Amino acid sequence: MSDIHARLVRLAASGRFDAVLRAAAGLPDDGGAAQAFKHGAAALKRNDAFSAAAAFETVRRLDPAFPALAEALTAAYRRDARYVDALAASEGQNGRQCRFERALSLLALGRGAEALTELDAILAADPDHAASWFASHAPALEVHGLDEARHRLVRATACVGANGKYWGYLASYALLAGDPAAETLLRDHVDPFPARRALADGIRALLPHCGGSPRLFGLSASVLRFALEQAVLPGLVLEFGVRRGTSVTVLAQAAGQAVHGFDSFEGLPQSWGAEPAGVLTCGAQLPPVPDNVTLHAGWFEDTLEPFLADHADPVRLVNVDSDIYASARFVLERLKGRILPGTVLVFDEFVGNRTWALDEFKAFAEFVAESGIGWRVLALAPHTKQVVIRVEES
Ligand SMILES: C[S@@+](CC[C@H](N)C(=O)[O-])C[C@H]1O[C@@H](n2cnc3c(N)ncnc32)[C@H](O)[C@@H]1O
């Protein structure tokens, strides 16, 4: 075994996947598995999960025993939203990296209890793994309740090298629970640190619209099922941003009616923060979806008008999961007149990101100002950044 291969084996065994990706830059351009691994690692580092998955699949074809391949494939599939493939690639692998990616995949698939089991297995072996304490608060919220979720966030903040944003989550849950401890948490651990403030600032903007305590969720699938239960106005169920079909499948299973999904399947039409245009691409491939889903492939700007010309109904529920301001703005503007009292809106990147106030939140605020609708927040999911809003009489 060459020196670099031995190094990759050692780094993968120690759970230092970031170091594996860095070390892969030293692999030779041999036209074979090593070169494909190097390309896959570089793609993962620049957040191009689609290219990374393709490169690691090449490695698997050429040399299935290549060091750290299970870790690399699992990470690429999970980031490419191919969660079922991520579970298959990590099967039987019980190192920290594979378990962690498996847990995030299970969370995305709405399998909270199994995700919690994986994260607790990591924590049993390494009680100072901050990212697992943090990630585990989301399924714990649904499996055990808010107190356990907050306890896990406290444990996350106490770990060596913990990410400062965990304090923002802790303070935000305190705010949402109406706990007076929120004031001290915000004053001492959040507000003086700009990098920690995003979630708490978003929650503070939404609290006046919550009308009491909003429902709190940790999993996207639970949010979507709850949103559909609240959406009793007969009409269209729409999703903008389908990607690999995870959320549209949940909607389709719970809606009891036709669901329409819109996506270019070529990623974002423009850059978003550090992400370049085209990020989140599926290579123009449409995902498999349940029979009651119709996919409308193309840019919203080209597909929505003709669809509306053929469908006169109001909107029962719309899931806006297209990330950027321009896409949310376009969709809301075109749906004006179809979004009526009783319509339920779900947004996926509403709170928690550094740029939250300039993204979907801004598009919605402009829509409210222009249409004069009333609205109320029914539910929030801090970990997934989702919010459920019901349109009301103004
Ligand atoms: C975060 S992904 C959607 C995730 C999906 N809901 C899920 O459950 O995994 C965002 C998607 O929005 C799509 N998108 C964003 N803006 C768009 C636009 N203007 N036209 C078409 N697709 C767009 C991208 O192609 C991307 O697939």
Side-chain angles (χ1 to χ4, degrees), residues 81 83 220 224 239-248 262-270 272 279-282 296 298-301 303 319 321-324 326-328 330-331 348-349:
Y83 304 116
S220 172
L224 295 171
E239 175 170 274
F240 292 89
V242 175
R243 203 180 178 196
R244 300 288 186 186
T246 309
S247 51
V248 89
F262 296 78
D263 202 303
S264 65
F265 302 103
E266 295 182 59
L268 299 185
Q270 55 184 244
W272 185 36
V279 69
L280 310 178
T281 184
C282 307
H296 302 267
W299 302 108
F300 304 157
E301 294 76 359
T303 55
N319 183 29
D321 189 5
S322 40
D323 299 346
I324 58 173
S327 295
F330 177 82
V331 166
D348 208 90
E349 297 288 337

Side-chain angles (χ1 to χ4, degrees), residues 49-350:
F50 180 77
S51 304
F56 294 132
E57 283 171 346
T58 301
V59 179
R60 181 171 59 189
R61 190 165 41 74
L62 297 174
D63 181 0
F66 199 87
L69 180 57
E71 286 82 354
L73 257 179
T74 307
Y77 282 148
R78 197 271 298 168
R79 289 173 213 190
D80 197 21
R82 291 171 59 181
Y83 304 116
V84 173
D85 290 332
L87 296 184
S90 65
E91 202 176 330
Q93 302 283 336
N94 287 327
R96 189 171 78 191
Q97 173 67 19
C98 278
R99 271 198 191 281
F100 191 72
E101 293 291 354
R102 198 152 63 221
L104 297 190
S105 300
L106 288 163
L107 277 181
L109 290 168
R111 293 159 60 178
E114 292 165 83
L116 194 53
T117 302
E118 292 290 345
L119 293 165
D120 281 348
I122 296 174
L123 292 166
D126 178 2
D128 204 36
H129 194 240
S132 291
W133 282 117
F134 174 69
S136 74
H137 93 267
L141 176 63
E142 298 209 3
V143 176
H144 299 299
L146 183 55
D147 286 350
E148 177 64 16
R150 291 173 70 185
H151 162 72
R152 284 169 183 265
L153 286 170
V154 171
R155 292 289 285 107
T157 58
C159 291
V160 178
N163 188 320
K165 79 174 180 183
Y166 301 162
W167 285 105
Y169 277 74
L170 198 50
S172 296
Y173 281 107
L175 272 173
L176 287 163
D179 181 343
E183 200 181 317
T184 318
L185 284 166
L186 289 164
R187 189 194 59 215
D188 295 347
H189 298 287
V190 180
D191 285 341
F193 307 96
R196 301 180 184 182
R197 289 188 56 147
L199 179 62
D201 284 348
I203 299 296
R204 283 183 278 212
L206 293 179
L207 269 176
H209 301 277
C210 289
S213 304
R215 284 284 298 270
L216 299 179
F217 292 101
L219 308 181
S220 172
S222 311
V223 171
L224 295 171
R225 283 192 284 262
F226 169 81
L228 271 169
E229 278 165 24
Q230 304 302 311
V232 293
L233 177 78
L236 301 166
V237 174
L238 309 174
E239 175 170 274
F240 292 89
V242 175
R243 203 180 178 196
R244 300 288 186 186
T246 309
S247 51
V248 89
T249 297
V250 175
L251 287 174
Q253 287 165 349
Q257 67 173 87
V259 174
H260 294 273
F262 296 78
D263 202 303
S264 65
F265 302 103
E266 295 182 59
L268 299 185
Q270 55 184 244
S271 62
W272 185 36
E275 306 293 353
V279 69
L280 310 178
T281 184
C282 307
Q285 287 165 356
L286 276 59
V289 287
D291 289 345
N292 57 333
V293 176
T294 304
L295 294 177
H296 302 267
W299 302 108
F300 304 157
E301 294 76 359
D302 299 323
T303 55
L304 182 52
E305 296 281 8
F307 170 82
L308 291 174
D310 284 349
H311 297 79
D313 316 72
V315 175
R316 174 185 171 200
L317 178 143
V318 57
N319 183 29
V320 180
D321 189 5
S322 40
D323 299 346
I324 58 173
Y325 163 80
S327 295
R329 170 88 182 140
F330 177 82
V331 166
L332 292 172
E333 209 171 31
R334 286 303 186 278
L335 293 180
K336 211 182 286 167
R338 309 287 189 107
I339 294 177
L340 303 175
T343 297
V344 169
L345 309 168
V346 184
F347 291 96
D348 208 90
E349 297 288 337
F350 213 69

